Amino acid sequence: MTPTSILDLLADVQRGDVTPEQASARLASLPFEDIGHARIDHHRALRTGLPEVIYAAGKTPQQVAEIFSRMAAAGSDVLATRADADAASAVLSLHPDAAYDPQARTITLRQTTPPEPRGHVAVLCAGTSDLPVAEEAAITAELFNARVTRLYDVGVAGLHRLLAVRDQLASAHVVIVCAGMEGALPSVVGGLVGVPVIAVPTSVGYGASFAGAAALLGMLNSCSPNVSVVNIDNGFGAAYTATLIARASHRDPA
Amino acid sequence: MTPTSILDLLADVQRGDVTPEQASARLASLPFEDIGHARIDHHRALRTGLPEVIYAAGKTPQQVAEIFSRMAAAGSDVLATRADADAASAVLSLHPDAAYDPQARTITLRQTTPPEPRGHVAVLCAGTSDLPVAEEAAITAELFNARVTRLYDVGVAGLHRLLAVRDQLASAHVVIVCAGMEGALPSVVGGLVGVPVIAVPTSVGYGASFAGAAALLGMLNSCSPNVSVVNIDNGFGAAYTATLIARASHRDPA
Amino acid sequence: MTPTSILDLLADVQRGDVTPEQASARLASLPFEDIGHARIDHHRALRTGLPEVIYAAGKTPQQVAEIFSRMAAAGSDVLATRADADAASAVLSLHPDAAYDPQARTITLRQTTPPEPRGHVAVLCAGTSDLPVAEEAAITAELFNARVTRLYDVGVAGLHRLLAVRDQLASAHVVIVCAGMEGALPSVVGGLVGVPVIAVPTSVGYGASFAGAAALLGMLNSCSPNVSVVNIDNGFGAAYTATLIARASHRDPA
Amino acid sequence: MTPTSILDLLADVQRGDVTPEQASARLASLPFEDIGHARIDHHRALRTGLPEVIYAAGKTPQQVAEIFSRMAAAGSDVLATRADADAASAVLSLHPDAAYDPQARTITLRQTTPPEPRGHVAVLCAGTSDLPVAEEAAITAELFNARVTRLYDVGVAGLHRLLAVRDQLASAHVVIVCAGMEGALPSVVGGLVGVPVIAVPTSVGYGASFAGAAALLGMLNSCSPNVSVVNIDNGFGAAYTATLIARASHRDPA
Amino acid sequence: MTPTSILDLLADVQRGDVTPEQASARLASLPFEDIGHARIDHHRALRTGLPEVIYAAGKTPQQVAEIFSRMAAAGSDVLATRADADAASAVLSLHPDAAYDPQARTITLRQTTPPEPRGHVAVLCAGTSDLPVAEEAAITAELFNARVTRLYDVGVAGLHRLLAVRDQLASAHVVIVCAGMEGALPSVVGGLVGVPVIAVPTSVGYGASFAGAAALLGMLNSCSPNVSVVNIDNGFGAAYTATLIARASHRDPA
Amino acid sequence: MTPTSILDLLADVQRGDVTPEQASARLASLPFEDIGHARIDHHRALRTGLPEVIYAAGKTPQQVAEIFSRMAAAGSDVLATRADADAASAVLSLHPDAAYDPQARTITLRQTTPPEPRGHVAVLCAGTSDLPVAEEAAITAELFNARVTRLYDVGVAGLHRLLAVRDQLASAHVVIVCAGMEGALPSVVGGLVGVPVIAVPTSVGYGASFAGAAALLGMLNSCSPNVSVVNIDNGFGAAYTATLIARASHRDPA
Amino acid sequence: MTPTSILDLLADVQRGDVTPEQASARLASLPFEDIGHARIDHHRALRTGLPEVIYAAGKTPQQVAEIFSRMAAAGSDVLATRADADAASAVLSLHPDAAYDPQARTITLRQTTPPEPRGHVAVLCAGTSDLPVAEEAAITAELFNARVTRLYDVGVAGLHRLLAVRDQLASAHVVIVCAGMEGALPSVVGGLVGVPVIAVPTSVGYGASFAGAAALLGMLNSCSPNVSVVNIDNGFGAAYTATLIARASHRDPA
Amino acid sequence: MTPTSILDLLADVQRGDVTPEQASARLASLPFEDIGHARIDHHRALRTGLPEVIYAAGKTPQQVAEIFSRMAAAGSDVLATRADADAASAVLSLHPDAAYDPQARTITLRQTTPPEPRGHVAVLCAGTSDLPVAEEAAITAELFNARVTRLYDVGVAGLHRLLAVRDQLASAHVVIVCAGMEGALPSVVGGLVGVPVIAVPTSVGYGASFAGAAALLGMLNSCSPNVSVVNIDNGFGAAYTATLIARASHRDPA
């Protein structure tokens, strides 16, 4: 609830259009919708202009479908992450226009007319096994109206593969780097570019990778100061922040 | 070394101005300076337009002073982080115009004429004990030419203190949040703003804070998707990335 | 065995009604029942006036049903926690009046006439995925005769949802807060209320949540001094302690 | 800021005594005092009726003394925890009536006339080395107007010592148990009493005690359901919560 | 290979019955049997007089049965631990006299005439869920010819249950204590008896029990100095060591 | 891309056979093959003369088969590690000459005429359960043209079994030691030989082995200075390095 | 308090010599002495016939001296562990016959006439740096009347040094093994002897030894089943348990 | 004791020059020297032809000097690692020809005439702070007669600095890479060279570097298969193994 609307409300009280008791109640009646097992925050989508998002893990297909439908009813674009095939079936039976990507485990519904892409996000991954996380990031960024360049399988042990894509990195406003194992790629990329790098540790690896903890620690200790880190496998979060950066970086022609 | 300069070099070869052997050598002779115990990378400062930076921890005062002087000789602004009083004395005896901040442990030397600030960075901290980290971030961001707003002691257990500074948050292009203990502040701030939040866990706390690890984990698991994280106590890194974001976000008047 | 009953026993000895040998044996024959694989402690229920409780995890359906029946035979209310569908079937075939809640995984049997609720417990959770733990807590507290207010999906990233329920929090004698991810909610709630807050970390989350350890650490490091913590996913334990507090807090009309 | 005061403010607006602009500003101007390095929250003390508290660790003696004086100026009782001898000297030179306990590292200033103790808190510790934490808890609870019974050196390896104090435990409304090493004492005490037990792991021990982490884990896994846990060495937090419970448990004579 | 047999061998060389080359080879040909995937060490059984033992986990039923048969062929008693039903079927089809205990997951074959029990081992466990580990210990100790007293479900939260079995503890030469959760039981038992206590942490528990690590740490930090610890769930190892102690403690009637 | 080929390219530019623009592009077009989900680096095999290798875990059978075929098409020997039966079926249907080892989970295709073995690698393991890792190492080393001696089930608790194979250790140029549990074997072997020992912790064990972490830590802390360590279960990596050492150690007859 | 004394007390009650109230009080008045900061448990020494023991760490020299004197006053032998030079001075000024060992940090006072040694304890250590822990064990075992054989610097990387002391190991009733780094020595020793081995991890080592945690884990995962483990650096605890085993193992001539 | 010397001994027995009893004793009297607090293993130096080595940490200057002198008396080269200035003074007062390097903390005594260097070891480090570890490695390798090339301050965030030294890497037989922070350098170097890489994590860094653990994990998870790892800060161990590899790799002119 923005300062402006508080002022409006208080002005209504001053004018006698609203009693103090009503105003007090209204302060509490913020724009979210309570459907029993969840409070859907249309307010966030309204405030940020970004799509509505459901984190589908740990919810039943019916819950996912119900929340998805409520969000879709508001006319926004909708994104569900961590959705398995059952959740996708439940949603697509109600929204045949939605699209399911089984590798990225995303369900996307485009209801608005996409504007020109705002900003350029490069998504890198170190190996084939990092693809699901990278795709979650790429699909999210696309739905959030960024231009996305995918640069996959460019791990640091074959440096020539990374150097070969250097030109493609040059025009990005922000770079997302997904890597498991030792998590070295963001440091190397961070030294090659002059823009923010968002590192996503992936749970790829075995033995002492400890399900991504080794990569996470590596990235937090990056010697490149333009690297910040999100949670293990959190491609969505990386793309969310990257989109905010990219759209800020994007200058509309004056 | 940018694609352009490679093309220039290859054109020189084509024109016969440079032999292939010379070109091959030059590809290797990149602009860093070897002073025995360190290779100073003037290239980075040239490439990014950002000040030169020394990480002073683990270096002798003499080493810090020598590297500082070499960097200063190139005419850039210079920043030393994690500098104790001895390192500061060694530097200030050579560079009386440099400034030492004992709380933030930074030495700064401004040699360029600062342009108009580019972008607005808000720096928050949860408690008084987080001040050194927050000040390292704030001083860094100022030297990097961002406008900085400091909002200190706004922890989540006294929510009214945080809500009281909400207006000041509204105009920031990026928010740095320093917090120890449970690391909850970035999540709350992330829900209040529509810009990227860079979370800095601090090693403040006792018992099961495990020197900042608890705050770090809390921040990585933030339920706000616009939060990314840097290493414990890494105010410098947060400010470096924040500056990159803020200057992109800053629109020059058309 | 209370001091009173020791005195009674010793008085019996003094009167010659009980020989020293018998008294010595009786000191050892405390009121638990040995059914081979378990020693059922009717004593605890008698002493505390609280229902009998079975922790069903790791027991076969037959074992759960047998213990449940022995407890029910004593006339108390009975609660089984962490019960799967098989255990529920085994119990309900013997006790058709018992109720199974598949989300909370509780089996409850009400055999006493419930008195007026004693004390008011608010149960909050941060997200939809915390519901099973929150419901275990809520159902437990209800069976233990507290008045329970459920306030779900009020995570800190959408502060207005939490502030909207502030009035409902105001009358609680104790607040249970279930949260996974960063575990920030108890700190924020702790700052809003003047009563004890019992924090329950949940194993919700992924990556660096480490199955609830991140939330646990966050809660232990809470900056609100009225927060204490129970084990990950331990909704039952939280409700047990909360009930003890709430009934103490509840003043009967004089 | 309570619902009542919001209603009062809105009524003022309705009556025209306060303009909407003024009301909006006042919503933000909550009663804390900004002294540069800290925002003193007189509001909390007013709201809860509990003393003001300073966490002195990581603050300079001057900072501690300044905050202490500001708090004392408001007329409340004041408590500083984790205060070393230097901080104590700085405070006592300004407030000769304050008292310093070097073992508990507390500075207390009693300015109000203490009412009758409200509620009874038992403080147990397992060994001599746990005394500083236990005393921090005991002194805090006393300043917060609870009756405190100290029962020290009653570790589980000498069970008769614990059983010998059982009567003294019987009348407590809440029990604080401080223990390092294996952290077993709260479970045993939890089985002996019918009131909430607040467990405080201490950093006493060596080797695999990992500075209190072993005791912390033991307490979180307590098999007694009336045990909740606070951070390692956090005697203050335990006493704060215990006081809230004890005063609720305390029935004034009708 | 004992000093005696080395002397015998060297005497053979001195007498010329064995050449130096043969002796050198014989030094290497120690009495184990190589069956491809394993080297069966009959030597250990011969040397110690204890049964042969197979750790069945991670071996195929066929491998378990083959090793079991080779061991049985030598006439010793044989024990297989961590054996599932398939391994048991494979063994019992070859050795119908062997016995399988599905709870303890042991297969035992008694081929020798058991002597009088040597020494008395008490096996305690804290809860019903610790039974499999306790039974592995009890069955092992019995096969190794100790007298075994089982005392189950005597956790520390119901101290009267433990005190009720104190007499039965009094005559044991060594006590094995199996406990999960907080691992407090060995400390309490250690204070009640004057003989060695071998603590076995079990992987029982949830949340912050971390699969037995909490209990393990608790036991290592025991405040009772007569407690030593074996690996999580290692009932066999506890019984092996306990048997060595018990038989030493057992005095034959003079 | 070796210095030589850079010189060749630059010479082409000098001669006018290649334009600077073409050369710049060619610098980026390094010899890897992009098949969508992977960039196959024929360059590495060419450069090192070692077989091509696929890490099959986390890839679909179809992906493994496709990459395998592309690699085989280049004429090299090919090795797939961590391949399950489905991946093996997919590969063998295309390459009937390939061999699958279900214990080691390797698929090998020998297409070159193997030269004389170069160097001698001894592979030891501590117990039967370490066999899969040891076999992955042994099969890899054989495909890489080393002579391999397998010495299995020689754990430190039966020292005579280890001493019995000492002669066979003596001629090895490098020793690979696979061990779980306490990871003691490499230290003991390291003291017996004068060549490098590569230690491979295995995830064998239970309880506090923490899936190989205990063995890993043990090996890293080895008191034998000729021990270096690879990741848990990483038999392939151990053999790769061992082969490099062994072939260097192998002196061709002059 | 033994069953016998309970019977005596109850008989007194029956005879009327003791009132029930007196008996109830006496049940609580167990033989420990409360000196304010500690409850000295003379009962333990009486019950076990072992010396009184003070854990001096974390106590002031005055506290150590006071407790030492109270214990000495009872006529028992007294042992203080973890005593620094100041504590030793304080004690020796009162008890000139006490002996201080600065390496083992023990203060010992022999007041009883030592009987013939009962049982034989071998104390091994892996390296010179483990000496303090080994000496704490050896001195403790000697004061507790065991015969002690010290075998130092016999690490596993030089196996011949260990094999050279094999004869001396053969006659021990129990073996204490102190080792840091990888903690391999107990496993090797466990395979060489047929008696219980008590492993003491030491905090010797660097890097990934994590202050003894690596050695601890190694020992817990020992492949020798006669190994049990005590806390890091806990030489005293190892000797306490070893003495109990050794005296049981020691057969008096019939 | 090599097979040859065993044969010699046995032959002596056969000839009657040695009795079996003497031979048995001699098998135990291996060539180490017992000086009370240490057993000096001249045997190792004899067997391997490498210098004698003392790990000075945790030893008194007198102990270091005594062991150093005993070793020097045997005529070998001697190396002490982790030696502080006091230990160096003690040694140099006895051996004025020894050399102390305060950065590497090594004391070296060259007594043999160094042969031609055998093999080439490259030592890299990522940053200035890794110098002490890198120098320990370099000085060790030099004393062990390898040719050493130092390539310092070539971290991955400035890739051009690493690429600039690529030619110097090309001729090395083995590469030691010391790096703290994220530990990424070995992976990148591993991809650039075709020889074994020995990675040394350093304890450089702060926050979530956890004293080198992050770098250690990164290196263990390296995506380059020619990387093996030694303990944190273990420059000596890396050089020891590297020397063994390098000398094998070094071909004498035929």
Side-chain angles (χ1 to χ4, degrees), chain B residues 155-159 162-163 180-185 187-188 190-192 205-210 213-215 217-225, chain C residues 155-159 162-163 180-185 187-192 205-210 213-215 217-225:
Chain B
V156 297
L159 216 50
L162 177 59
L163 296 176
M181 308 188 88
E182 81 272 68
L185 189 56
S187 288
V188 176
L192 294 177
Y206 59 87
S209 76
F210 297 123
L217 289 177
M219 291 167 175
L220 284 167
N221 286 287
S222 173
C223 48
S224 293
Chain C
V156 298
L159 217 50
L162 177 60
L163 296 176
M181 306 187 90
E182 79 273 66
L185 188 56
S187 288
V188 177
V189 171
L192 294 177
Y206 58 89
S209 77
F210 297 124
L217 289 176
M219 291 167 175
L220 285 167
N221 287 284
S222 174
C223 47
S224 293

Side-chain angles (χ1 to χ4, degrees), chain G residues 12-236:
Chain G
D12 286 347
V13 175
Q14 192 180 37
R15 278 192 304 271
D17 294 351
V18 171
T19 67
E21 286 74 17
Q22 288 169 329
S24 182
R26 201 172 297 176
L27 279 168
S29 70
L30 291 156
F32 52 81
E33 182 179 4
D34 194 330
I35 60 169
H37 52 82
R39 294 172 193 240
I40 300 172
D41 185 1
H42 299 302
H43 190 61
R44 171 181 292 268
L46 292 175
R47 189 175 57 217
T48 60
L50 297 175
E52 304 256 20
V53 184
I54 310 167
Y55 178 68
K59 298 194 175 67
T60 65
Q62 287 66 35
Q63 287 176 319
V64 174
E66 180 181 359
I67 300 175
F68 199 100
S69 289
R70 297 287 178 118
M71 288 177 164
S76 333
D77 300 331
V78 185
L79 167 67
T81 62
R82 309 286 165 114
D84 59 20
D86 290 344
S89 296
V91 170
L92 268 74
S93 70
L94 299 174
H95 300 276
D97 292 344
Y100 179 57
D101 185 304
Q103 186 176 38
R105 287 172 300 157
T106 52
I107 313 171
T108 47
L109 177 66
R110 175 67 88 175
Q111 298 196 116
T112 66
T113 305
E116 280 299 293
R118 295 176 61 193
H120 177 199
V121 177
V123 180
L124 277 75
C125 73
T128 301
S129 322
D130 303 312
L131 274 177
V133 177
E135 276 300 307
E136 184 186 280
I139 289 173
T140 297
E142 285 173 338
L143 189 69
F144 282 51
N145 283 322
R147 178 160 72 86
V148 173
T149 301
R150 290 162 169 85
L151 300 167
Y152 291 170
D153 201 12
V154 289
V156 297
L159 216 50
H160 52 293
R161 289 184 293 189
L162 176 60
L163 296 176
V165 302
R166 210 168 156 180
D167 281 1
Q168 293 166 275
L169 280 176
S171 66
H173 297 116
V174 59
V175 183
I176 294 172
V177 182
C178 307
M181 307 187 88
E182 80 271 67
L185 189 55
S187 288
V188 176
V189 171
L192 293 177
V193 301
V195 297
V197 172
I198 301 178
V200 192
T202 67
S203 54
V204 168
Y206 58 88
S209 76
F210 297 123
L216 170 62
L217 289 177
M219 291 166 174
L220 285 167
N221 286 285
S222 174
C223 47
S224 293
N226 50 344
V227 174
S228 63
V229 187
V230 297
N231 200 355
I232 297 166
D233 290 337
N234 189 8
F236 163 70

Side-chain angles (χ1 to χ4, degrees), chain D residues 156-159 162-163 181-184 187-188 190-192 206-210 213-214 217-224, chain E residues 156-159 162-163 181-184 187-188 190-192 206-210 213-214 217-224:
Chain D
V156 297
L159 216 51
L162 176 60
L163 296 176
M181 307 187 88
E182 80 273 66
S187 288
V188 176
L192 294 177
Y206 59 97
S209 77
F210 298 123
L217 288 177
M219 291 168 175
L220 285 166
N221 287 285
S222 174
C223 47
S224 292
Chain E
V156 298
L159 217 49
L162 176 60
L163 295 176
M181 306 188 88
E182 80 273 66
S187 287
V188 176
L192 294 177
Y206 59 97
S209 76
F210 297 123
L217 289 176
M219 291 168 175
L220 285 167
N221 287 286
S222 175
C223 47
S224 293

Side-chain angles (χ1 to χ4, degrees), chain H residues 7 24 28 55 71 81 101 113 115 135 160 163 169 173 189 193 198 211 230:
Chain H
L7 278 177
S24 183
Y55 178 69
M71 288 177 166
T81 62
D101 185 303
T113 306
E135 276 300 305
H160 53 293
L163 296 176
L169 279 176
H173 297 117
V189 171
V193 301
I198 301 179
V230 297

Side-chain angles (χ1 to χ4, degrees), chain E residues 137-208:
Chain E
I139 289 173
T140 297
E142 285 173 337
L143 190 69
F144 283 50
N145 284 322
R147 178 158 74 87
V148 172
T149 300
R150 289 163 169 86
L151 300 166
Y152 292 169
D153 201 12
V154 289
V156 298
L159 217 49
H160 53 293
R161 289 184 293 187
L162 176 60
L163 295 176
V165 302
R166 210 168 157 181
D167 281 0
Q168 294 166 276
L169 280 176
S171 66
H173 297 117
V174 59
V175 183
I176 294 172
V177 182
C178 307
M181 306 188 88
E182 80 273 66
L185 188 56
S187 287
V188 176
V189 171
L192 294 177
V193 300
V195 296
V197 172
I198 302 180
V200 193
T202 68
S203 54
V204 168
Y206 59 97

Side-chain angles (χ1 to χ4, degrees), chain A residues 241 244-245, chain B residues 173-176 193-198 226-228 245 249:
Chain A
T241 291
L244 293 178
I245 298 173
Chain B
H173 297 117
V174 59
V175 183
I176 294 172
V193 301
V195 297
V197 171
I198 301 179
N226 51 344
V227 173
S228 63
I245 296 173
S249 302

